[in-house]
Structures are given as structure tokens and as C-alpha cells.
């Protein structure tokens, strides 16, 4: 029921189907009191902001009047909300009072009976840092309840979806076990539980460990809900780490305390009362001055503050969605993490999991890579380049440096002479940038400020290791000058076609294999644009007066996008299963016509694929059916069974 439409980091912009209603994720569910008289903001105003709310089934269950109405008319009538209603189970009350008066299966049955869209098991939220025996015992009980809840759901064919909460306190091996066991139980949504006390105490770093441990061992195709996270300051980082759903009681709880939320922290109304305007443009902040609100009676003030708090909460969600679309979520996170040192610490903790995160991070983005501090050195775009540079089979290497005033791409702004030597430029962030591939994202699509000396030390080890690995191929300046002067002489000038050499290196870097062999190289024609002078197309000469396009260089990232002949060439040169998505027989005819490949029909693939790579769609006999862009990575291609997997460019008949 989850389909990924766009992504960045582990973050995803998704379409989520719940009981025939579709919502866009990431999103936030405002927490409503089930008793309309106790709601801070009138339901009509909530309706305008959201398609999904969350309330508490245990409060309904424990109040005879609410229970009666819910059982007679259903929860949607009780709340006065006809879109998606999610309910919690009383677990939170359990964490507050130690025990509650309802049977774990009875509350699941009750949620289904009153027509809830997504219900929750009665999990045990174990507090942080309790002793291990308690954490283990609680988890065993939560897992027992989970199994019987799923059995109940399947036996009775519930229309209601079910939340299966991940517990395990602050023991990462228990969180892992929880994720592994729950992951096999076919819950519809996986909330991450018992993080509220950690967030209240600014232990964001531990929350990061919990989120990433859970993500690593949960199925990739299910939505993740971060239970109890309602402060907009925490959304960007949590989405980057793969959380899709949030709930907010914070908007109302903070308002009760005269606290004013912003996307980077909280103000008390007394600290704002002397400003002439609020630092916000929502309808409330436009209409009232801080002083007016300060002098207002408690009830009205609380409602208006809650409305503002909810506005900024949704505003931040919208900003996050936009940044996922344009591929700048990392930049937004790096900005947000400057709001509080504990958040920066949490971001740094997340970067320790970069090998895992990198597998999900798109290989290309619409917006440039911005360096915003030392943390940026550890981003997936950088880590990936430093691995993929070894995909190129270098023959002769010359290492060089350029001064800061030369603009990227260097290959367009340096006069390097013709030769068959690969020139690699030392780079403070990306380590080494081969001139022959330097137009590919993110090697020239980046902005890096002048760095501190200590930051410039960072890649020393990488460069040393590179030199060590390639020591037989690296030439000194004398040998390099000898080569260039040799190729620069009149009679030898045409011996190397620099453009073909460049395409050869770009293809190796993008696909990991040598695509242009000696046979085809002499028939390759590289076309440059008359306007920009940049390489646009790679063609192959078929016969005297016929050429066919193999690849087009996409302008914003300079990736080599195959045409049909290019796809055939890749298929011939790249060994199975690399760069392959294998589809079931039943959809072969669709694939051959270039129709989208749905995840359900993927039966095998290259497990190392990253999102947005150009892939070959084949059948089990490795016959080429078509080619396109994969939305999913290798692991997701196998785990998703809903939505589009490969956006096709064309079919091959
Ligand atoms: N709300 C906040 N934390 C939790 C939790 O751990 N479990 C449930 N069910 N609800 C919560
Ligand atoms: Zn406002």
C-alpha cells in the first residue's frame, strides 16, 4: 500500500493507501481528544489542514458515553471526521500509570468494532535505560501480544489496518530482535515506540540509534511511524532516517503552556510579547500581535497558539516534501541540526550508519550538493564517489591540483593537452576527481566554501591509499610532459580521441564495467552541442550513411542515458545480474512495449542497485525486454509488491 514517488537519504515521498483513501507521506497526524468538547481546536479547522488524525481508543473504551456513541455510530461520527482515523491503544497510559484496565486483545477488537482505519496493538512502552531483564520481559510480552493480535486480525478478516510497535528500550539488540520478529508478522505500519522520554530529555542521539536499528531490520515496503514525535524541529532528521508518519499532541500541549513552536525551536509567549510581530506568516500570526495574544483570556489564547503551532508543523512537513522532490533534504537537515547541539550530535550519530543509508540514497539529485560543515564529508554522495572511482580501470594516471579560482567542471576550464593519461584532481571533499568524469553529479554540481586546514586533512588518507593502490600507474610530471608532448605533435595529435576516452571512463564510472571495447571504439561518434560546446550524444556508425544514438548525456547530472541501441550494448557488456531487473513472464509483453514495471512482478535483480540508476529489464533467460530508471534499490525491488518499480524509457522487441 506504500508507493515511493521521490526520495532522498532514507526519506521518501510516498503515496499510502489506507482503506481506499490515499494520503501523501511524510505527514503528521494531529492528536485529537475523542471527546469533541475537549478538543483544543474546532474540528472544522483541523479538517482543512489534514486527511488523517490520531486519537485514543482507550479513552473511548473507558468512558461509557463515548463508548456507547462509538459502538452505535462509529468512530468517524463520534469525532466528526470522515477521513482517516488512526487510534492508539492505551499503551501510553500504560507507560504513565503502570497498568490499565483492558485486555490486550479486547482493545484490538474494540478498535475494529468502532470502525477505526488503523488500530494499534497494546504494546508495552518500556522506558529508556531500564535494566536488561525488564526490557527483555516487556519485549517478550509485546511480541506475544503482537502474534495474537495478528492472528485475530487474519482470522476475522479485519478491514482495519494494524500498527505493530517496535520496542526494546535502549538495547539495540532488543530493538533489532523486535524489528525482525515484528517484520515477519505482516503488520501494516510499524511505529517506533517508547522514544518520548528520550526526546523530552534531548537524547536525540539514542533516538537516531533506535530509528536506524529498526529501519535496518524492518521490511522496506512498510510505512514507519515515529510515535510521539510532534516537534517540527525533529521532522527533517527523522524523515531523512526513513520515518513516514508522525503524530502531534505537541501543538496542543505546548499551547496549554503558552509555548510557541517554530521549525527550529520553541519560544515562550512572554519572550515574544514585546515584539511588534510574530516571526511567522500563518493566519493567526498575521491577525494578532504578540501583545494581543499575551493579554487575551486563557481559553482563546490557547486555541490560537495551538492553531499557529499546527500551521508551522504542517509548514515544515511541506518544506520537507519539497526538499525530497528537489533532492535537498540533506541540506535541510544540516540546517535544522544547527538549531541545537544535541540535534547536531544526533545527525553526527546518524552518519555512523552511512554505509546502510547510502544504499537508499539516490545516485542523482536535481539540486547541487552544498557543503555546510565537516559533517558533509560523510554524506552518501561523497562516500559513494570515493568507492565508485575504483570502478574505472585506469591505465596511466597523473595527479594534479587546481587553484580555488578555477570553476567546476574543471575539464571545461583547464586547457589540458591531448593524451591518453587520466588526470585526477585532488579535491578536499571528494578526494580525487578524474577530469574525464568531472561533469557527472555531484562532482561539479556542488558548492564548497574555503575550508579550514584541519578539514583539508580529511582526505589525506584516502589519497595516500589511492596512490598506494595505483602506484604502478601513476606517473610523475616528467613522464606526463613526455606523453602530452608526444600526443601534441602534429603527426600524433589524432591518435587519441579525447571525447571517446571520456565517454569510456564515464560509462565505467556509471555502470561499473568496460562498455566500449576496441571493436566499437573506432565506430563511436561523440556529438557536442553547437551552443554550449558540451557533449550531448554518443552515436555509433552502423554503415556508411547511418548512425544510431547509443546514449544521451542528461544536462543536469551528465549521466549517460541509454537509447535502445545503448541498452543493447550495455546488456552485451555487463554480466548478469548486474544492472538487471528480472521480471516475471506474465509482464514480458508489457515490458517489451516500454510500459512501467510494477514491483509485484520483479523476481530478481542486482542487489547493489541504487535508486534512480538506469537499468536493464530482462526475463529469467536474461533476454532484454526494455530499459528504464529504477525507483527502488536492490533490496526494495525484492521487498515491495505494490507500485511502480522501474520507470521505463523504452521496450526492446
Ligand atoms: N505513544 C507514544 N509512545 C508510544 C508507544 O511506545 N506505544 C504506543 N502504543 N503509543 C505510544
Ligand atoms: Zn503563526
Amino acid at each position: 500500500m506504500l508507493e515511493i514517488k521521490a526520495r532522498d537519504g532514507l526519506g521518501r515521498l510516498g503515496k499510502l493507501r489506507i482503506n481506499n483513501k490515499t494520503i501523501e507521506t511524510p505527514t503528521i497526524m494531529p492528536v485529537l481528544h475523542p471527546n469533541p468538547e475537549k478538543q483544543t481546536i474546532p474540528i472544522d479547522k483541523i479538517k482543512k489542514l489534514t486527511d488523517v488524525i490520531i486519537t485514543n481508543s482507550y479513552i473511548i473504551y473507558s468512558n461509557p458515553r463515548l463508548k456507547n456513541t462509538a459502538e452505535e455510530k462509529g468512530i468517524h461520527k463520534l469525532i466528526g471526521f470522515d477521513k482517516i482515523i488512526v487510534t492508539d491503544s492505551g499503551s501510553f497510559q500504560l507507560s504513565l500509570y503502570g497498568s490499565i484496565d483492558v485486555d490486550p486483545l479486547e482493545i484490538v477488537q474494540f478498535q475494529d468494532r468502532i470502525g477505526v482505519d488503523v488500530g494499534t496493538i497494546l504494546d508495552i512502552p518500556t522506558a529508556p535505560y531500564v535494566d536488561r531483564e525488564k526490557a527483555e520481559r516487556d519485549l517478550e510480552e509485546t511480541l506475544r501480544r503482537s502474534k495474537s493480535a495478528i492472528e485475530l486480525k487474519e482470522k476475522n478478516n479485519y478491514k482495519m489496518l494494524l500498527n505493530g510497535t517496535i520496542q526494546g528500550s535502549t538495547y539495540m539488540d532488543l530493538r533489532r530482535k523486535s524489528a525482525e520478529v515484528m517484520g515477519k508478522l505482516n503488520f501494516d505500519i510499524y511505529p517506533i515506540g517508547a522514544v518520548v522520554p528520550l526526546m523530552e530529555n534531548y537524547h536525540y542521539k539514542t533516538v537516531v540509534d533506535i530509528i536506524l536499528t529498526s529501519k535496518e531490520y524492518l521490511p522496506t515496503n512498510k510505512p514507519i511511524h515515529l510515535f510521539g514525535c510532534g516537534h517540527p524541529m525533529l521532522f527533517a532528521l527523522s524523515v531523512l532516517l526513513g520515518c513516514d508518519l508522525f503524530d502531534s499532541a505537541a501543538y496542543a500541549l505546548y499551547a496549554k503552556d503558552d509555548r510557541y513552536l517554530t521549525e527550529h525551536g520553541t519560544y515562550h509567549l512572554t519572550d515574544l510579547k514585546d515584539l511588534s510581530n510574530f516571526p511567522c506568516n500563518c493566519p493567526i500570526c498575521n491577525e494578532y500581535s504578540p501583545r494581543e495574544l499575551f493579554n487575551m483570556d486563557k481559553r482563546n489564547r490557547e486555541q490560537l497558539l495551538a492553531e499557529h503551532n499546527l500551521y508551522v508543523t504542517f509548514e515544515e512537513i511541506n518544506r520537507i516534501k519539497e526538499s525530497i522532490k528537489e533532492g535537498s533534504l540533506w541540506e535541510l537537515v544540516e540546517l535544522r541540526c544547527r538549531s541545537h547541539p544535541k540535534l547536531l550530535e544526533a545527525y553526527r550519530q546518524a552518519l555512523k550508519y552511512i554505509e546502510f543509508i547510502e544504499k537508499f540514497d539516490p545516485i542523482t539529485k536535481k539540486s547541487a550538493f552544498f557543503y555546510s560543515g565537516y559533517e558533509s564529508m560523510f554524506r552518501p554522495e561523497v562516500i559513494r564517489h570515493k568507492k565508485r572511482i575504483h570502478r574505472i580501470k585506469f591505465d596511466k594516471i597523473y595527479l594534479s591540483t587546481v587553484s580555488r579560482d578555477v570553476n567546476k567542471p574543471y575539464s571545461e576550464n583547464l586547457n589540458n593537452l591531448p593524451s591518453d593519461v587520466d588526470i585526477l584532481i585532488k579535491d578536499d571533499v571528494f578526494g580525487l576527481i578524474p577530469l574525464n568524469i568531472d561533469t557527472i553529479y555531484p562532482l561539479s554540481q556542488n558548492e564548497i566554501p574555503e575550508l579550514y586546514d584541519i578539514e583539508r586533512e580529511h582526505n589525506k588518507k584516502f589519497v595516500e591509499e589511492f596512490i598506494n593502490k595505483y602506484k604502478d600507474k601513476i606517473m610523475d610530471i616528467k613522464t606526463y610532459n613526455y606523453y602530452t608532448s608526444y600526443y601534441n605533435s602534429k603527426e600524433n595529435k589524432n591518435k587519441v580521441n579525447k571525447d571517446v576516452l571520456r565517454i569510456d571512463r564515464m560509462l565505467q564510472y556509471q555502470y561499473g564495467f568496460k562498455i566500449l571495447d576496441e571493436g566499437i571504439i573506432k565506430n563511436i561518434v561523440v556529438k557536442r552541442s553547437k551552443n554550449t560546446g558540451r557533449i550531448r550524444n554518443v552515436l555509433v556508425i552502423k554503415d556508411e550513411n547511418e548512425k544510431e544514438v547509443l546514449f544521451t548525456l542528461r544536462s543536469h547530472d551528465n549521466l549517460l542515458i541509454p537509447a535502445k541501441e545503448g541498452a543493447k550494448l550495455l546488456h552485451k557488456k555487463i554480466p548478469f545480474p548486474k544492472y538487471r531487473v528480472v521480471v516475471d513472464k506474465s509482464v514480458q509483453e508489457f515490458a517489451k512495449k516500454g510500459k512501467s514495471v510494477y514491483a509485484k512482478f520483479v523476481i530478481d535483480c542486482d542487489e547493489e542497485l541504487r535508486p534512480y540508476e538506469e537499468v536493464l529489464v530482462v526475463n529469467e533467460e536474461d533476454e532484454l525486454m526494455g530499459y528504464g530508471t529504477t525507483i527502488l534499490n536492490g533490496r526494495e525491488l525484492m521487498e515491495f509488491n505494490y507500485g511502480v518499480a522501474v520507470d521505463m524509457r523504452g521496450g526492446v522487441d
Side-chain angles (χ1 to χ4, degrees):
M1 9 161 273
L2 177 70
E3 180 174 13
I4 297 181
K5 293 293 188 184
R7 54 196 307 163
D8 203 2
L10 290 171
R12 37 211 201 170
L13 190 81
K15 283 249 151 75
L16 178 59
R17 262 188 102 67
I18 296 175
N19 290 337
N20 294 322
K21 296 166 222 167
T22 304
I23 57 168
E24 212 178 56
T25 59
T27 196
I28 164 96
M29 309 180 268
V31 175
L32 294 196
H33 197 284
N35 185 349
E37 287 152 31
K38 291 200 175 176
Q39 289 165 7
T40 322
I41 301 180
I43 188 76
D44 289 336
K45 295 204 169 170
I46 300 272
K47 277 184 192 162
K48 290 204 181 102
L49 286 169
T50 182
D51 294 333
V52 46
I53 60 107
I54 181 165
T55 186
N56 194 308
S57 64
Y58 178 66
I59 297 177
I60 303 174
Y61 183 86
S62 327
N63 176 316
R65 192 174 57 83
L66 296 177
K67 187 174 187 218
N68 212 350
T69 313
E71 287 185 325
E72 272 178 16
K73 301 185 180 158
I75 190 165
H76 291 83
K77 285 274 172 353
L78 171 71
I79 309 271
F81 188 79
D82 57 9
K83 294 189 261 184
I84 297 168
I85 298 183
V86 180
T87 48
D88 202 348
S89 53
S91 291
F92 197 61
Q93 283 75 4
L94 189 62
S95 73
L96 292 181
Y97 313 123
S99 72
I100 59 168
D101 197 16
V102 67
D103 174 77
L105 281 185
E106 167 65 14
I107 194 71
V108 173
Q109 271 169 331
F110 177 68
Q111 293 172 80
D112 177 66
R113 192 158 73 236
I114 62 176
V116 164
D117 293 295
V118 184
T120 305
I121 57 162
L122 187 65
D123 53 290
I124 302 175
T126 314
Y129 313 115
V130 297
D131 59 56
R132 190 176 168 95
E133 286 64 39
K134 166 142 182 69
E136 271 178 20
R137 243 184 298 122
D138 283 359
L139 179 58
E140 285 313 314
E141 178 59 19
T142 296
L143 295 179
R144 228 184 337 265
R145 293 178 182 186
S146 300
K147 280 173 201 145
S148 44
I150 282 289
E151 276 166 22
L152 187 73
K153 176 182 191 259
E154 282 169 1
K155 194 177 85 203
N156 295 303
N157 239 326
Y158 282 173
K159 198 174 137 226
M160 177 180 81
L161 305 187
L162 203 52
N163 275 324
T165 317
I166 303 305
Q167 297 291 351
S169 183
T170 36
Y171 296 95
M172 294 313 140
D173 60 320
L174 295 186
R175 290 280 178 175
R176 171 178 174 172
K177 180 179 180 193
S178 179
E180 283 174 338
V181 175
M182 300 293 281
K184 292 196 182 83
L185 285 177
N186 208 19
F187 281 98
D188 302 286
I189 297 176
Y190 290 100
I192 295 173
V195 291
V196 172
L198 291 167
M199 291 189 291
E200 284 172 350
N201 292 301
Y202 296 87
H203 290 199
Y204 305 134
K205 180 180 166 203
T206 309
V207 177
V208 164
D209 283 329
I210 291 171
I211 295 173
L212 287 171
T213 305
S214 308
K215 280 294 288 189
E216 202 163 344
Y217 296 100
L218 279 171
T220 52
N221 62 331
K222 298 288 172 78
I224 306 295
H225 171 179
L226 189 59
F227 245 142
C229 175
H231 200 303
M233 173 173 89
L234 306 173
F235 291 171
L237 178 61
S238 308
V239 171
L240 182 81
L241 304 185
C243 300
D244 306 290
L245 296 165
F246 301 91
D247 59 280
S248 174
Y251 77 97
L253 294 175
Y254 280 60
K256 206 185 276 305
D257 261 4
D258 282 336
R259 284 188 293 170
Y260 180 95
L261 292 181
T262 77
E263 65 278 11
H264 49 254
T266 313
Y267 296 105
H268 200 277
L269 191 57
T270 43
D271 298 328
L272 298 172
K273 67 178 191 302
D274 296 325
L275 297 178
S276 49
N277 290 299
F278 281 116
C280 167
N281 257 320
C282 81
I284 308 304
C285 297
N286 263 324
E287 188 169 342
Y288 301 95
S289 72
R291 175 67 63 180
E292 281 172 298
L293 224 60
F294 186 75
N295 290 330
M296 205 173 272
D297 67 280
K298 167 81 184 152
R299 221 191 114 76
N300 281 318
R301 184 171 72 238
E302 183 179 329
Q303 183 187 322
L304 291 169
L305 275 175
E307 279 183 54
H308 155 84
N309 287 347
L310 206 50
Y311 270 110
V312 290
T313 300
F314 277 102
E315 193 179 34
E316 180 68 353
I317 289 288
N318 290 335
R319 203 178 281 124
I320 289 167
K321 285 189 193 168
E322 209 41 53
S323 68
I324 294 176
K325 279 188 208 155
E326 57 170 40
S328 60
L329 183 58
W330 286 92
E331 278 76 11
L332 181 64
V333 168
E334 293 192 333
L335 181 65
R336 287 290 174 266
C337 287
R338 264 72 191 175
S339 304
H340 195 288
K342 292 284 188 192
L343 258 181
L344 185 59
E345 179 181 276
Y347 177 49
R348 291 179 179 181
Q349 185 68 9
L351 292 169
K352 294 187 184 156
Y353 296 76
I354 201 66
E355 298 278 330
F356 167 61
I357 299 172
E358 187 274 322
K359 291 183 160 58
F360 294 81
D361 192 73
I363 57 147
T364 176
K365 303 181 186 188
K366 288 190 189 122
S367 66
F369 172 99
F370 278 15
Y371 184 96
S372 75
Y374 188 58
E375 296 78 21
S376 305
M377 293 281 193
F378 303 93
R379 280 178 46 174
E381 300 90 334
V382 176
I383 303 291
R384 181 181 299 132
H385 168 68
K386 285 156 74 176
K387 285 208 176 116
R388 289 198 169 184
I389 192 171
H390 297 292
R391 285 179 159 195
I392 302 174
K393 295 199 172 49
F394 295 109
D395 182 23
K396 305 183 193 73
I397 298 172
Y398 178 64
L399 297 183
S400 185
T401 53
V402 297
S403 77
R404 267 200 65 79
D405 35 82
V406 179
N407 287 331
K408 292 173 174 172
Y410 299 134
S411 59
E412 291 179 5
N413 300 303
L414 297 172
N415 302 313
N416 61 87
L417 301 165
S419 84
D420 60 351
V421 178
D422 278 292
I423 303 172
L424 273 55
I425 307 295
K426 288 183 189 157
D427 187 273
D428 290 339
V429 177
F430 292 96
L432 290 164
I433 300 184
L435 280 191
N436 277 327
I437 62 163
D438 75 340
T439 50
I440 295 183
Y441 176 89
L443 301 177
S444 60
Q445 299 80 349
N446 62 65
E447 291 289 344
I448 299 165
E450 224 172 296
L451 300 183
Y452 289 129
D453 287 346
I454 191 152
E455 292 172 287
R456 304 184 62 209
E457 295 285 304
H458 177 78
N459 275 313
K460 236 174 125 173
K461 187 156 154 264
F462 170 80
V463 174
E464 271 166 20
E465 283 172 3
F466 187 93
I467 291 173
N468 211 18
K469 178 167 175 177
Y470 294 92
K471 54 177 175 290
D472 303 339
K473 319 219 162 184
I474 296 173
M475 48 181 58
D476 59 21
I477 186 154
K478 257 168 85 179
T479 324
Y480 172 67
N481 284 340
Y482 168 79
Y483 264 95
T484 49
S485 55
Y486 170 81
Y487 281 114
N488 219 27
S489 68
K490 254 198 197 103
E491 59 273 27
N492 294 325
K493 205 164 186 155
N494 296 324
K495 280 198 178 156
V496 283
N497 183 332
K498 284 209 315 186
D499 284 353
V500 173
L501 187 71
R502 185 173 182 82
I503 296 301
D504 171 63
R505 298 300 191 257
M506 289 173 78
L507 284 167
Q508 289 189 50
Y509 182 73
Q510 186 176 336
Y511 294 104
F513 290 89
K514 190 156 174 68
I515 307 298
L516 302 183
D517 60 24
E518 293 309 318
I520 197 169
I521 273 185
K522 53 183 189 298
N523 292 324
I524 293 284
V525 178
V526 177
K527 280 253 161 79
R528 284 180 178 266
S529 148
K530 292 219 168 59
N531 292 330
T532 62
R534 293 188 167 146
I535 300 178
R536 277 285 71 95
N537 289 306
V538 181
L539 302 94
V540 61
I541 301 168
K542 280 275 155 176
D543 54 52
E544 274 170 50
N545 37 33
E546 208 197 328
K547 292 194 207 92
E548 268 176 325
V549 176
L550 292 175
F551 300 98
T552 302
L553 278 77
R554 184 162 57 195
S555 61
H556 75 273
D557 59 9
N558 244 254
L559 287 178
L560 286 138
I561 307 301
K564 191 193 276 189
E565 289 305 306
K568 287 184 187 165
L569 177 64
L570 293 173
H571 184 248
K572 203 160 76 188
K573 290 294 172 183
I574 304 175
F576 184 88
K578 287 291 164 197
Y579 281 86
R580 305 294 204 283
V581 173
V582 184
V583 295
D584 188 81
K585 282 207 169 47
S586 61
V587 292
Q588 276 188 34
E589 293 311 310
F590 294 102
K592 285 182 185 172
K593 292 196 180 93
K595 301 241 166 78
S596 297
V597 168
Y598 285 82
K600 191 159 77 175
F601 302 107
V602 172
I603 54 176
D604 198 4
C605 72
D606 170 3
E607 60 180 31
E608 287 300 313
L609 284 175
R610 303 291 188 260
Y612 301 168
E613 290 207 280
E614 296 300 316
V615 295
L616 305 165
V617 173
V618 300
N619 63 10
E620 277 175 285
E621 283 79 44
D622 194 27
E623 291 166 314
L624 184 62
M625 311 275 110
Y627 52 102
T629 311
T630 183
I631 313 296
L632 306 175
N633 77 1
R635 179 174 159 191
E636 292 166 333
L637 280 163
M638 302 312 294
E639 290 183 0
F640 272 67
N641 40 34
Y642 180 83
V644 174
V646 182
D647 234 341
M648 295 289 272
R649 293 186 179 280
V652 177
D653 228 335

